[in-house]
Amino acid sequence: MSLDIAYSTDVNDYIDPDRAYEFYWSGLIKDKRNFLCPGSDCMAQVTCANLDEDVQDMKVSPHFRVYGSHSSTCEIFNKIPLKLHYNEASYIKKEKQSIDESVVDLFLLERPASYYDEPSNTPSNKLKTHEFKAKNHSNNTTTQENGSIGTIYSVRAIVGRYIRYKKDKSIIYRRVNIQGKDVNYRSVFKCIWEQDLESLPEHPVVYYGWAYINRLKSNHGYQIKFKKPFKKGEEELLSTIMISDRLIDSYKVKKLVITRLEKIIKNEKPLAFIFIFGRPYESISKTGVKYANFSITNLDMIDINYDCPLPKEYNK
Ligand SMILES: [Zn+2]
């Protein structure tokens, strides 16, 4: 049976597979087997399949699987709604509502400062874990600190959710709230070379396409150059993104970003499938060439893939 959420014994919180993936690659989660069933008083072991894969696509997206037996009172086992108690802070209430409705995910452009904090209570054995988990059910503060389940903080997670919802066939009911606006998952993604700069949405969305990745001559970072250009009437404008080593170094999930970048630039054709959340701006180079570039200050806003992780119609 697959689960939407599981209890992580590494971070002492209920998390979804996208968050588990980020925590694994930032080093907070040590093993894909360090999860328990989220049901009350249930100690069934859960594993997060594909957590250790640096590839995410329709075939290998991370998901939870139960491999122990549930307690007789477990809500999952009895197929009744989970009773997770959240902190009463108003934003948590709002998030909880969206979990209950299972329709709208909230995409936030900044993670809470405490997102990657080490858990304060590290249970050393099953019994302690059990006590802590039980405690969490009645008075949960960890959820507030780490943000909760309906909220996502990275483009990688938007892509991950899309893949998961497509797989479980719930995609038509799913929407994501970005800066106060609900949009359906499909309309969040825009292919770069099909866009005219004059008619782009005012608000940022997720642009995607194949791109070349090169190490900068200065050796201080990478340049991502999309294969195909944006349009502006009859004109064609190439699009690039610069990623400095400094930006990578300050990023918690850098292990994943570095693993992917280093593998890609070793290829004869250093191509990657890129998703970036933002809005391009026009600029002119010293030699007079016009560009439509993206600037990036938070690596959560970009997702770098070896291949197109979405269905065929996106692969362009
Ligand atoms: Zn259970």
Side-chain angles (χ1 to χ4, degrees), residues 159-311:
V159 175
R161 293 275 165 116
Y162 179 93
I163 290 170
R164 193 138 50 88
Y165 298 154
K166 184 93 182 165
K167 250 187 193 170
D168 69 18
K169 298 191 170 63
S170 67
I171 192 82
I172 53 167
Y173 309 108
R174 302 288 188 166
R175 283 171 299 145
V176 55
N177 186 292
I178 303 173
Q179 295 173 318
K181 255 193 180 167
D182 279 5
V183 279
N184 73 48
Y185 265 88
R186 271 212 117 128
S187 65
V188 173
F189 300 110
K190 292 206 179 294
C191 174
I192 282 190
W193 58 277
E194 289 170 348
Q195 309 304 318
D196 191 305
L197 282 179
E198 310 270 76
S199 51
L200 294 183
E202 281 300 314
H203 52 276
V205 292
V206 178
Y207 293 93
Y208 67 88
W210 283 99
Y212 288 103
I213 298 187
N214 297 297
R215 187 76 191 148
L216 290 172
K217 282 196 191 107
S218 65
N219 206 28
H220 290 313
Y222 298 86
Q223 184 204 45
I224 295 174
K225 190 163 91 190
F226 283 99
K227 259 182 107 173
K228 293 192 180 177
F230 276 104
K231 277 179 233 145
K232 191 186 173 190
E234 298 293 294
E235 281 180 286
E236 291 190 333
L237 279 75
L238 281 175
S239 186
T240 67
I241 309 160
M242 297 290 177
I243 297 182
S244 68
D245 289 344
R246 232 159 123 195
L247 187 62
I248 295 173
D249 210 49
S250 64
Y251 185 53
K252 292 282 189 184
V253 199
K254 66 179 165 196
K255 202 172 132 202
L256 181 68
V257 174
I258 293 169
T259 305
R260 290 186 182 176
L261 284 173
E262 284 182 350
K263 255 193 221 175
I264 290 160
I265 61 166
K266 275 187 202 132
N267 294 339
E268 200 183 324
K269 275 190 183 167
L271 276 168
F273 198 85
I274 303 289
F275 295 88
I276 181 157
F277 179 80
R279 201 174 184 283
Y281 61 92
E282 252 187 270
S283 62
I284 301 177
S285 74
K286 280 178 199 152
T287 52
V289 183
K290 278 191 191 170
Y291 285 90
N293 290 335
F294 291 93
S295 69
I296 185 166
T297 54
N298 173 0
L299 288 179
D300 278 332
M301 297 302 127
I302 190 167
D303 184 31
I304 301 161
N305 298 271
Y306 303 122
D307 207 340
C308 174
L310 299 185

Side-chain angles (χ1 to χ4, degrees), residues 37-44 66 69-71 74-77 133:
C37 173
S40 310
D41 304 320
C42 183
M43 295 293 284
V66 180
S69 40
H70 295 280
S71 70
C74 173
E75 292 92 340
I76 307 284
F77 177 70
K133 193 178 143 208

Side-chain angles (χ1 to χ4, degrees), residues 15-249:
I15 59 176
D16 62 24
D18 298 322
R19 184 153 306 179
Y21 193 75
E22 284 168 354
F23 282 167
Y24 179 82
W25 283 92
S26 71
L28 272 181
I29 287 179
K30 314 289 181 209
D31 193 292
K32 62 180 172 185
R33 293 171 202 88
N34 293 352
F35 298 92
L36 295 171
C37 173
S40 310
D41 304 320
C42 183
M43 295 293 284
Q45 300 253 342
V46 170
T47 192
C48 188
N50 300 322
L51 196 63
D52 43 3
E53 297 285 337
D54 67 325
V55 189
Q56 233 188 318
D57 64 27
M58 299 299 279
K59 290 183 204 85
V60 294
S61 65
H63 59 274
F64 292 123
R65 239 187 250 145
V66 180
Y67 64 91
S69 40
H70 295 280
S71 70
S72 56
T73 53
C74 173
E75 292 92 340
I76 307 284
F77 177 70
N78 293 300
K79 297 194 168 83
I80 55 173
L82 276 172
K83 283 180 249 136
L84 294 184
H85 294 285
Y86 292 89
N87 192 293
E88 287 304 302
S90 62
Y91 73 94
I92 295 287
K93 261 190 200 160
K94 220 188 273 168
E95 287 174 13
K96 184 173 186 293
Q97 205 176 6
S98 66
I99 301 159
D100 291 344
E101 291 166 359
S102 294
V103 171
V104 184
D105 292 322
L106 184 64
F107 177 51
L108 296 182
L109 308 189
E110 295 269 348
R111 291 174 196 267
S114 59
Y115 188 89
Y116 289 111
D117 281 358
E118 291 286 339
S120 49
N121 185 333
T122 311
S124 57
N125 59 43
K126 251 187 170 181
L127 188 70
K128 273 191 189 163
T129 304
H130 188 121
E131 281 165 6
F132 191 79
K133 193 178 143 208
K135 194 174 129 216
N136 257 6
H137 266 284
S138 56
N139 183 15
N140 184 340
T141 54
T142 319
T143 307
Q144 185 187 6
E145 284 160 12
N146 282 346
S148 72
I149 297 131
T151 310
I152 43 185
Y153 300 98
S154 66
V155 168
R156 184 171 49 249
I158 294 184
V159 175
R161 293 275 165 116
Y162 179 93
I163 290 170
R164 193 138 50 88
Y165 298 154
K166 184 93 182 165
K167 250 187 193 170
D168 69 18
K169 298 191 170 63
S170 67
I171 192 82
I172 53 167
Y173 309 108
R174 302 288 188 166
R175 283 171 299 145
V176 55
N177 186 292
I178 303 173
Q179 295 173 318
K181 255 193 180 167
D182 279 5
V183 279
N184 73 48
Y185 265 88
R186 271 212 117 128
S187 65
V188 173
F189 300 110
K190 292 206 179 294
C191 174
I192 282 190
W193 58 277
E194 289 170 348
Q195 309 304 318
D196 191 305
L197 282 179
E198 310 270 76
S199 51
L200 294 183
E202 281 300 314
H203 52 276
V205 292
V206 178
Y207 293 93
Y208 67 88
W210 283 99
Y212 288 103
I213 298 187
N214 297 297
R215 187 76 191 148
L216 290 172
K217 282 196 191 107
S218 65
N219 206 28
H220 290 313
Y222 298 86
Q223 184 204 45
I224 295 174
K225 190 163 91 190
F226 283 99
K227 259 182 107 173
K228 293 192 180 177
F230 276 104
K231 277 179 233 145
K232 191 186 173 190
E234 298 293 294
E235 281 180 286
E236 291 190 333
L237 279 75
L238 281 175
S239 186
T240 67
I241 309 160
M242 297 290 177
I243 297 182
S244 68
D245 289 344
R246 232 159 123 195
L247 187 62
I248 295 173
D249 210 49

